[in-house]
């Protein structure tokens, strides 16, 4: 919306509404299409992630971006055109009644000048329509900020600051923490959050009890099988994350001790003694006697018999973890438990209800890097097709990569971990980071000036105001979330407010990127053919130009061939063709 308004403001009010709207869409339409398409693609990439909540959010947001794009180009554009007709007919902005045109020199009150007069600019505007309705901030960017930014020493300082920013961002990426504590997923005032916080603070010495489930049908009465199960449990108990066998729960240990103490007592009559290696005696004593003894009835949930109760299909053991006081330890503990289970001599799995949350710590970083890579590649492809020059598409992609690196790195400085919540915000940053950069780069490449510094000043003059308006409106939109009693909303505010809008998107759009373009951007040309600079056409011959621009290049080359043919014939038509050729549909004139 702000881009369309800025482009409309630059048009000549003396032109027809059709011409003004055509010029507006010609200047703003492509950059708006680039940003909307890349935003939608970023959310489409996020929709392929393995986290259901992230998928739902990305699908919803991607569709919303598409509808917002259609709304802006059609409904808002139509309203802007209707207001152009009102302005053309010199009607009041509120009542739409015709009002007289009052000269700027007429002595009128402030209220009358603001509400009850025609447009005084029409009385003094030149035929070129320049500077007829410039915003004060537009003039600031044009006369002060732009020339200041193009000074050599300012460029050097900006580049040093950029390298420092990039270094801190990369350091932050190395220090980035993964995962989120369970207490943060509930509201700040929730009793669940208070319970989990106090549980972590006072009872973290004895943490989760991990279940080791033997899924294989074993002959537990066989001494060799008993040794294999015991060795497997010993491996789980002998880690940096678990206590020893004294605090583990093993029905097999207690049952063997029970048999040794009660049923295998040599003082008992031979008829009451049991043979531990006999299947029927082992199963019968376990099922009918041991599981009915007070203190051992809890093991009834740890042993799964077949339908007739003659075999053990599966069984479960518990090992006690200790001092798992951080997301990194939680991830490492779960990974270690699964490695031991996969390498055990019997078929086994490990489980705890909290593993559902710990699993995200393993998947979050690969998913985030995958989304960043695919989305950045998609941005490059879109920019290559819609940007008039390949180099500019590369600059947009580099700006996206720089912003995403800053987002990931500086999250560490504001105590934001990489989790499913912040992953949503990072996907948003992938799409939104292209907005300011694409607008600036597209304005740079479509400028008429031939000098890089002059082109940068023109780009800032054209888009500085809408970039500031977009930043301020976004700040106002998310400001209410800064005090929200929810970790998710506060993380959203931190990401959008500090990273995307204030630091990375805005600074890249009006500081870093203009300086880099003024130093290494494509050089402008001195002649335009069908809106394309001759230097651009020349570069197209070296295969550095966007393939979509080859039609204009072909028309220009055909024009030169026709002109040479006419020159060889000695006719005077060539002089007219150099000025205009309506049949060819383009003109050649100096800038």
């Amino acid at each position: 919306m702000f881009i369309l308004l800025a482009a409309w403001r630059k048009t000549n009010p003396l032109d027809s509404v059709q011409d003004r709207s055509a010029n507006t869409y010609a200047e703003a339409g492509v950059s708006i299409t680039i940003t909307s398409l890349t935003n939608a693609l970023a959310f489409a990439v996020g929709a392929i992630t393995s986290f259901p909540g992230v998928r739902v959010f990305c699908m919803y947001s991607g569709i919303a971006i598409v509808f917002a794009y259609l709304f802006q180009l059609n409904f808002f554009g139509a309203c802007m055109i209707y207001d152009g007709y009102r302005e053309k007919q010199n009607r009041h902005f509120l009542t739409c009644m015709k009002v007289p045109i009052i000269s700027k020199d007429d002595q009128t009150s402030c209220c009358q000048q603001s509400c009850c007069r025609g447009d005084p600019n029409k009385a003094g505007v030149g035929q070129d329509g320049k500077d007829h309705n410039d915003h004060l901030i537009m003039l600031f960017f044009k006369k002060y900020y732009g020339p200041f930014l193009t000074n050599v020493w300012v460029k050097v300082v900006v580049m040093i600051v950029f390298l420092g920013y990039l270094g801190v961002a990369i350091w932050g990426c190395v220090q980035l923490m993964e995962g989120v504590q369970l207490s943060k997923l509930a509201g700040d005032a929730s009793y669940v959050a208070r319970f989990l916080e106090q549980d972590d603070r006072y009872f973290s010495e004895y943490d989760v009890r991990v279940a080791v489930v033997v899924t294989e049908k074993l002959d537990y009465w066989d001494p060799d099988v008993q040794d294999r199960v015991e060795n497997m449990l010993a491996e789980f108990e002998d880690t940096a994350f678990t206590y020893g066998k004294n605090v583990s729960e093993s029905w097999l240990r207690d049952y063997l001790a029970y048999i040794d103490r009660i049923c295998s007592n040599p003082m008992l009559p031979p008829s009451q003694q049991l043979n531990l290696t006999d299947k029927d005696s082992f199963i019968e004593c376990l099922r009918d006697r041991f599981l009915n003894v007070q203190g051992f009835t809890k093991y009834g949930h740890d042993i799964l018999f077949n339908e007739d109760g003659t075999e053990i299909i599966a069984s479960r053991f518990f090992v006690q973890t200790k001092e798992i006081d951080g997301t990194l330890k939680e991830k490492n503990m779960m990974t270690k438990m699964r490695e031991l289970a996969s390498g055990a001599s019997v078929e086994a799995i490990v489980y705890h209800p909290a593993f559902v949350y710990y699993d995200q710590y393993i998947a979050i970083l690969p998913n985030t890097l995958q989304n960043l890579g695919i989305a950045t590649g998609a941005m490059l492809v879109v920019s290559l097709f819609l940007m008039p020059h390949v180099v500019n598409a590369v600059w947009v992609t580099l700006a996206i990569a720089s912003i995403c690196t800053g987002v990931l790195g500086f999250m560490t400085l504001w105590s934001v971990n990489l989790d499913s919540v912040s992953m949503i915000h990072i996907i948003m940053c992938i799409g939104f980071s292209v907005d300011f950069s694409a607008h600036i780069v597209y304005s740079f490449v479509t400028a008429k000036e031939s000098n890089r510094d002059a082109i940068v000043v023109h780009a800032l003059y054209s888009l500085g105001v809408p970039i500031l308006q977009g930043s301020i409106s976004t700040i106002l939109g998310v400001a209410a979330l800064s005090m929200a009693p929810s970790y998710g909303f506060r993380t959203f505010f931190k990401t959008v407010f500090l990273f995307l809008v204030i630091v990375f998107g805005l600074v890249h759009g009006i500081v870093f990127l203009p300086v880099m373009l003024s130093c290494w951007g494509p050089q402008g040309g001195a002649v335009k053919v069908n809106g394309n600079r001759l230097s651009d056409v020349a570069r197209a011959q070296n295969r550095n130009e966007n393939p979509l621009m080859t039609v204009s290049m072909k028309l220009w080359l055909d024009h030169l061939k026709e002109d040479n043919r006419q020159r060889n014939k000695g006719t005077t038509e060539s002089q007219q063709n150099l000025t205009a050729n309506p049949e060819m549909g383009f003109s050649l004139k100096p800038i």
Side-chain angles (χ1 to χ4, degrees):
M1 181 181 65
F2 294 130
I3 297 295
L4 286 172
L5 289 177
W8 180 270
R9 182 185 292 270
K10 291 171 58 180
T11 59
N12 189 351
L14 297 179
D15 293 340
S16 65
V17 177
Q18 290 86 349
D19 291 340
R20 296 185 69 183
S21 60
N23 294 333
T24 298
Y25 279 100
E27 179 171 346
V30 176
S31 61
I32 292 176
T33 301
I34 292 174
T35 55
S36 299
L37 184 58
T38 50
N39 287 337
L41 281 176
F43 287 118
V45 172
I48 67 175
T49 186
S50 59
F51 295 91
V54 178
R55 286 202 305 269
V56 172
F57 175 85
C58 289
M59 287 187 291
Y60 167 82
S61 300
I63 296 174
I65 289 291
V66 173
F67 276 92
Y69 171 71
L70 297 176
F71 175 87
Q72 296 294 344
L73 286 187
N74 294 282
F75 181 79
F76 179 76
C79 294
M80 186 174 61
I81 292 172
Y82 274 118
D83 191 69
Y85 280 110
R86 178 203 61 79
E87 182 181 353
K88 190 70 175 178
Q89 298 173 9
N90 204 49
R91 294 182 178 273
H92 192 270
F93 80 99
L94 181 61
T95 63
C96 293
M97 301 295 293
K98 283 192 174 183
V99 294
I101 297 179
I102 301 176
S103 173
K104 294 181 179 180
D105 298 330
D106 292 346
Q107 298 296 325
T108 58
S109 65
C110 179
C111 181
Q112 184 179 5
Q113 290 180 359
S114 302
C115 303
C116 302
R117 69 174 188 179
D119 187 1
N121 291 311
K122 291 182 179 180
V125 69
Q127 292 298 323
D128 58 356
K130 292 183 178 179
D131 295 336
H132 70 279
N133 199 20
D134 283 345
H135 195 280
L136 290 178
I137 302 180
M138 294 176 65
L139 297 178
F140 167 77
F141 278 106
K142 181 178 182 179
K143 295 182 179 181
Y144 302 102
Y145 180 75
F148 170 79
L149 195 64
T150 54
N151 288 330
V152 176
W153 67 270
V154 176
K155 294 180 182 180
V156 173
V157 172
V158 170
M159 293 304 300
I160 294 175
V161 172
F162 175 76
L163 293 177
Y165 146 79
L166 202 58
V168 174
I170 294 175
W171 174 83
C173 290
V174 177
Q175 305 295 324
L176 187 65
M177 300 296 295
E178 302 174 38
V180 57
Q181 295 180 349
L182 296 182
S183 59
K184 292 184 177 181
L185 298 180
D188 295 345
S190 171
Y191 68 91
V192 176
R194 294 197 302 272
F195 167 79
L196 293 174
E197 289 176 355
Q198 294 177 4
D199 181 65
D200 291 338
R201 180 180 304 175
Y202 301 112
F203 303 99
S204 61
E205 181 179 358
Y206 292 90
D207 217 281
V208 297
R209 296 178 67 82
V210 179
V212 181
V213 182
V214 177
T215 59
E216 181 182 0
K217 185 170 66 173
L218 299 176
D219 299 333
Y220 289 96
W221 55 87
D222 188 343
D224 292 337
V225 173
Q226 295 172 4
D227 291 339
R228 288 164 56 193
V229 173
E230 182 64 26
N231 292 335
M232 178 195 68
L233 286 178
E235 291 180 353
F236 281 99
E237 294 163 346
D238 188 23
T239 68
F241 307 102
T242 53
Y243 286 104
K245 62 187 301 183
N246 293 332
V247 291
S248 299
E249 286 188 12
S250 172
W251 67 268
L252 184 59
R253 286 175 183 167
D254 289 347
Y255 179 52
L256 294 178
Y258 171 80
I259 292 178
D260 185 63
R261 184 176 67 253
I262 302 299
C263 301
S264 299
N265 191 342
M267 302 300 297
L268 293 177
S271 59
Q272 297 183 10
Q273 294 185 11
L274 294 178
N275 183 7
L276 296 179
T277 60
D278 180 68
K279 172 184 176 181
D280 295 335
S281 299
F282 186 92
I283 296 296
E284 180 181 357
C285 181
L286 173 65
R287 184 187 65 238
D288 299 334
R289 298 177 62 179
F290 176 73
L291 294 180
N292 294 322
V293 176
Q294 186 177 4
F296 298 143
T297 55
K298 62 182 180 179
Y299 291 131
H301 300 287
D302 297 337
I303 304 172
L304 178 63
F305 294 95
N306 60 357
E307 294 182 357
D308 56 6
T310 58
E311 290 183 345
I312 299 176
I313 299 176
S315 65
R316 179 176 62 180
F317 308 90
F318 287 95
V319 292
Q320 178 65 54
T321 61
K322 61 179 180 180
E323 299 177 353
I324 311 298
D325 54 358
T327 57
L328 182 61
K329 284 188 176 180
E330 291 171 346
K331 180 186 75 171
N332 293 338
M333 179 271 294
M334 182 182 66
T335 304
K336 182 63 176 179
M337 295 291 108
R338 288 177 174 175
E339 289 177 356
L340 293 176
S342 62
S345 58
V346 298
E347 295 182 4
I349 60 173
V350 291
Y351 174 77
H352 188 274
F355 283 4
V356 175
Y357 303 98
Y358 300 168
D359 270 326
Q360 68 169 314
Y361 308 155
I362 298 177
I364 191 67
L365 183 59
N367 274 264
T368 302
L369 295 178
Q370 169 187 291
N371 293 339
L372 287 173
I374 297 176
T376 304
M379 306 303 172
L380 177 59
V381 172
V382 172
S383 300
L384 285 174
F385 274 96
L386 297 180
M387 283 287 181
H389 199 284
V390 174
V391 175
N392 297 303
V394 174
W395 276 116
V396 172
T397 306
L398 292 177
I400 295 172
S402 174
I403 294 173
C404 292
T405 302
V407 170
L408 287 173
F410 279 78
M411 287 169 62
T412 305
L413 302 180
W414 209 351
S415 303
V416 178
N417 292 357
L418 180 60
D419 51 52
S420 58
V421 177
S422 58
M423 182 181 178
I424 292 176
H425 309 148
I426 293 172
I427 294 174
M428 292 178 58
C429 290
I430 298 173
F432 292 159
S433 62
V434 75
D435 287 4
F436 299 153
S437 303
H439 294 319
I440 286 291
V441 171
Y442 189 78
S443 179
F444 181 91
V445 77
T446 56
K448 298 179 180 179
E449 289 77 2
S450 59
N451 181 269
R452 289 195 185 102
D453 290 344
I455 297 176
V456 166
V457 174
H458 170 79
L460 291 171
Y461 157 73
S462 302
L463 293 172
V465 172
I467 286 178
L468 287 178
Q469 289 173 327
S471 301
I472 295 173
S473 63
T474 306
I475 293 172
L476 295 177
V478 302
L481 300 179
S482 61
M483 303 302 294
S486 171
Y487 167 79
F489 288 137
R490 287 196 302 271
T491 303
F492 179 88
F493 169 76
K494 290 179 180 180
T495 305
V496 175
F497 181 81
L498 176 59
F499 302 147
L500 176 60
V501 177
I502 299 302
V503 177
F504 303 137
L506 183 60
V507 173
H508 276 75
I510 66 175
V511 180
F512 292 155
L513 197 55
V515 169
M516 294 178 183
L517 289 174
S518 68
C519 296
W520 300 291
Q523 184 68 40
V527 182
K528 296 189 84 174
V529 179
N530 265 12
N532 301 319
R533 292 188 292 271
L534 294 189
S535 57
D536 292 338
V537 180
R539 281 191 293 270
Q541 300 177 35
N542 295 324
R543 299 183 180 274
N544 290 330
E545 184 60 76
N546 188 309
L548 297 181
M549 303 300 294
T550 56
V551 175
S552 298
M553 181 186 70
K554 184 177 183 300
L555 291 175
W556 180 71
L557 293 176
D558 291 341
H559 168 74
L560 292 183
K561 292 178 181 179
E562 177 66 18
D563 180 66
N564 291 331
R565 188 178 65 84
Q566 296 293 341
R567 285 178 180 273
N568 293 333
K569 288 182 177 181
T571 64
T572 59
E573 297 179 359
S574 59
Q575 296 297 328
Q576 300 174 359
N577 290 335
L578 286 173
T579 304
N581 192 335
E583 294 181 358
M584 302 294 291
F586 63 90
S587 61
L588 181 67
K589 38 189 181 178
I591 296 180

